[in-house]
Amino acid sequence: MRFHFRLSDIPTYARLPLILAVIWNQTVYYGAKLLAGGWPHHDFTTAFDRATPFLSWTVSIYLASCIFWVSCYVYCASQEKQRAYRFLCSDFLSKAVCLAFFLLIPTTNVRPAVEGGSLWSVLMRILYQMDSPTNLFPSIHCLVSWLCFLGVRDAPHTPKRIQYGTLCIAAAIFLSTLTTKQHVVADVLGGMLLAQISYWASNQPLVLSCYSKLADCLSRRRLC
């Protein structure tokens, strides 16, 4: 297994859909914050979440997840066309559902006060300042991480050790969302379940056919 990082290494048919996936993610996340920012929000925190320890050092896992996502998305988008489109279609569908949840059931939680001058404490405070406690259910962090595992797992010729490694990294990211108090367990389970359902739905002939036609059209840069 080899991860590609150069745009020129990505097949032509996947380049624009991959870029649009990033734009769609940002549109959903920040668009929902803008629209629902002043609306009543729900808190899904449970006794389990309150008992989960706050571990500031796990912010390193939380932030480093971006490297994991980029590697996996580029790798999955570099597969043969149908596999690449299935993965990117599942991403599109899942983010559309996220948008609906963010607007229909806005969520929030109560974060702990972060004290101390350690590197991890400083990073936690920066994260809290940059990322308001909204758009929590389902967790996009967990959704994307599980999609990465599913895509890598199903990519042909991917060694078992890489598949298991991807699974372990996804699990570590799940835990980091809880121990940084960025999410609660409902958010984690919701993100994982949504990823699983979207990945299944993207393999249905009608859904995949519609996405493939749209992606091909955009990749050829023609008006549909």
Side-chain angles (χ1 to χ4, degrees):
M1 175 181 176
R2 182 166 68 94
F3 285 127
H4 302 282
F5 291 98
R6 293 182 304 172
L7 186 59
S8 59
D9 291 330
I10 304 173
T12 303
Y13 54 77
R15 292 178 189 175
L16 187 56
L18 186 58
I19 293 172
L20 291 177
V22 176
I23 296 174
W24 177 229
N25 178 81
Q26 300 302 96
T27 301
V28 167
Y29 190 74
Y30 291 105
K33 281 183 178 287
L34 181 63
L35 291 173
W39 299 356
H41 283 58
H42 307 273
D43 189 341
F44 292 161
T45 302
T46 65
F48 176 86
D49 297 300
R50 286 187 285 271
T52 301
F54 171 70
L55 304 173
S56 61
W57 67 266
T58 58
V59 71
S60 59
I61 300 173
Y62 188 88
L63 296 176
S65 59
C66 294
I67 300 173
F68 172 67
W69 298 338
V70 169
S71 300
C72 291
Y73 266 60
V74 173
Y75 177 72
C76 292
S78 298
Q79 302 299 315
E80 56 91 14
K81 182 182 283 190
Q82 287 299 95
R83 291 185 182 276
Y85 280 179
R86 180 193 179 182
F87 178 79
L88 294 169
C89 178
S90 65
D91 176 85
F92 174 82
L93 293 176
S94 62
K95 302 299 173 55
V97 175
C98 280
L99 179 60
F101 272 107
F102 294 163
L103 296 178
L104 296 175
I105 313 176
T107 48
T108 189
N109 67 358
V110 178
R111 293 167 167 176
V114 182
E115 301 177 350
S118 69
L119 172 62
W120 308 127
S121 296
V122 171
L123 288 176
M124 280 303 314
R125 285 195 290 269
I126 293 174
L127 175 61
Y128 282 179
Q129 290 171 3
M130 294 179 59
D131 188 24
S132 62
T134 55
N135 289 354
L136 303 184
F137 179 86
S139 165
I140 288 185
H141 246 73
C142 299
L143 159 68
V144 171
S145 298
W146 196 248
L147 275 182
C148 286
F149 163 66
L150 295 175
V152 171
R153 180 199 64 183
D154 290 348
H157 313 302
T158 303
K160 289 293 184 181
R161 68 179 184 279
I162 300 297
Q163 296 180 31
Y164 293 139
T166 305
L167 176 60
C168 290
I169 293 174
I173 293 172
F174 289 178
L175 291 175
S176 76
T177 66
L178 298 176
T179 55
T180 56
K181 300 300 179 177
Q182 282 287 89
H183 288 281
V184 297
V185 68
D187 307 332
V188 175
L189 296 177
M192 182 178 178
L193 180 61
L194 177 56
Q196 197 74 46
I197 293 173
S198 299
Y199 193 71
W200 169 83
S202 66
N203 200 39
Q204 304 311 301
L206 179 59
V207 175
L208 184 56
S209 174
C210 289
Y211 180 86
S212 298
K213 290 178 181 177
L214 178 60
D216 282 341
C217 178
L218 292 173
S219 296
R220 290 193 298 269
R221 304 189 181 195
R222 293 206 310 245
L223 292 177
C224 301

